[in-house]
Every structure is written in structure tokens, then in C-alpha cells.
Amino acid sequence: MRAQGFGYAYPVAPAPQSKQVWELRNAGLGVLSNMPGAAKGVACIEDTAVAVTDLPAYIGEFEKLMAGFGQKSVYYAHAGDGELHLRPILNLKKTADRVQLRQIGEAMARLVKKFGGSLSGEHGDGRVRAEFIPLMIGEKNYELLRRIKRAWDPNGIFNPGKITDAPPMNTSLRYEPEQQDKPFDTVLEFPDGILRAAEKCNGSGDCRRLDFAGGTMCPSYRATRDEKDSTRARANALREFLTRSERANPFSHRELYEVMDLCLSCKGCTSECPSNVDMAGMKAEFLHQYYKTHGVPWRTRVFANIGGLNRLGAYAPALTNFFLKNPAVAPLLKRVLGVAPQRSLPAVRPSLRRWFEKSGGVAAYRPGKRPRIFLLR
Ligand code: SF4
């Protein structure tokens, strides 16, 4: 490439530095999603593909087109396949940007068509690009799609408005035009505010990966396979209530509590989500705010102080264990504490120090037996 004068940089990254190249690739989406401020790279033309040989001309025209809109785009690509994930920077809470969203969408559909490419090279037309399908495949072919859809779904109940008869892409958006973000007084520090922290979720759904995909994120979804227990659902619910709630304390909704409840605060999402959504941090803040209105439940107080309570119970272990294990009392205790009936409550034991004192210290040392270690103050 150097000899032919192609390119402008020729780095060589042998192992182990080559690992960093792959890590940069993995971090790409997170870097894009973590753009500060309300304007974000919007995934509206992010799946275009043209023939690799057409890429230079295509990119040249694309850049001119963006300049015409006063825009700079984010590029994220596997250009070797001719596929470019392009994202104009838009604030969809602003009317002008919502208008531009559609203008850019249509202009891009025409540009891709001109190069004989695909508007949905890797993913799907879905809801965002569906209105441009007639333009891409022609009215006659589009009518065939509509007829197929009508034949199988005469009442239009399956995914209405997707692929066929889709409404304009800039309608039914998450936010209202000219929506103002409210400031939130949080105890934890979120560099750009808690709403922006939730808005980092780009909806890619990586939190729905199952066990065989490896990693940790998201254990609650893996357990229930229910969307409401995914990181994405928590981020979605948070931004919904933080933008639309009329209550003085927008964190106080029971629905939010239910979506947050199964989050284990494991921080799997902080490291594995492509946008590094930190749900553990948001859950901690949410609970603090929620408890301001609803009070701290008894169950939470018990578990928060379990060390002290166990120490107390250890003074009379037999009596404590009688209550913890008694078939009449234990179920009642579990119900009050919100513990699943199938789980057993762990028995308490005398403290190590008491046991050691009682056993006469050195008496516990048994020559010739497996060595034991005693930790004492
Ligand atoms: S912190 Fe919560 S949301 Fe994030 S991966 Fe763990 S359980 Fe899921």
C-alpha cells in the first residue's frame, strides 16, 4: 500500500499490541455513545452498504451531503464489506433536529440508491428506514410486499407499521419536541446528570446475551428471560419517568422500583455494555430517592444490618436457630423479610472468638491432624 501510495499511515501492531487494536474496536461504540450533551450520534442511517469499489466516491458524496445539512457524522464501520455505520449528531429533543433527521434519512436513501447499495446492509428496515422501502425497491415491488403482508395478516395486528405502511421516521419518537430536561439533585455524582447516564443506552440489547455468549451481563435477564429485567429496560424506564413524570419526586414510581428490583448491582453492564451503562450506580441513586418518599423497608434495614443482628443472635444460638428453623416460625419470617419460601434461613453459630475461648484456646490444636488457622485480635 505504501509503494502504491495508498493511505496515509502504515502502523504495524505485532502482538501483544495487536490486542489493543481489537480493544479499540470493541470500545468504539461506547466512545460514540458517551458523547457529552443532549446531541448524540443517532442511529438513523447507520446500516448503509455499497460495493467496496464505490466506497471512496460514496463517502465523498456523503460528506458533501452532510456539509449541506451543517452536519458532521460519526463513522463506525466494517468498511471491508462496504458497510458503514453513519450517525449524524442530532438532539431529538429539538424540533429542527427532528425535521433534519427525516431530511437526512431521505437524502441518504437516494444516495444509497444511486450507488445501487442497501439502506439496511446488515440489520433490518424495521421502523426507522421502512418508509424509504418504496424508494429503494420501487413501488411495484413494494406493493407486492404489502399484498404478502395483507395475505398473512389481514387485520394488521402483527408488528403494524413495520416494513409496510410505516409512518414517517420522525413521528412517535421517545421525546416530545422542545422537551426541556429537568435538573435532578442526586447524591451520587453523574458527570452529565443521571438522565444522560440513562440515555447512554443505545438500545442494542447486548444485555440480553445468554449464558453461552460468556460474560456476566445481565444476570437478572439471564435468570428470567424477561425484557423488564434487562439493563436496557431499566435505562428505558428511568428515562421515561425522569422525563415524563409529573410527580415532585419522579423516582417514586412503583413501576420503576419493580424494574430495578432484580438488578444485582453486579456492575456487569459497566464493563460489558458497549455504551458502558452503569446501572449499579443508577440503582443506588434510584433507591435513595425512592426511599425518600416511601421510607426504607424493614427488609432492607434487616439485610443492611445483618452483621450486627447475627452477632446478637450468636449470644444465644440455640434460641435464635429455633426461630430460624422452626417450621411454624421460619415461613412467617421469610414472608416478612421477602425471602423466597424455598430458601432456608442460615443458622447462626457462636462467634469464633467465643468458641475459641470456650475451647480453651490451644486445646483446639491437634498434633498430627490437618493444621488449622485461627484468626484472633
Ligand atoms: S448491574 Fe444490574 S443491570 Fe447491570 S448487569 Fe448487573 S444485574 Fe444487570
Side-chain angles (χ1 to χ4, degrees), residues 217-220 231 234 263-269 279-280:
M217 175 179 74
C218 166
S220 56
T231 316
R234 293 177 184 124
C263 170
L264 307 176
S265 303
C266 69
K267 279 192 168 280
C269 46
M279 193 47 70

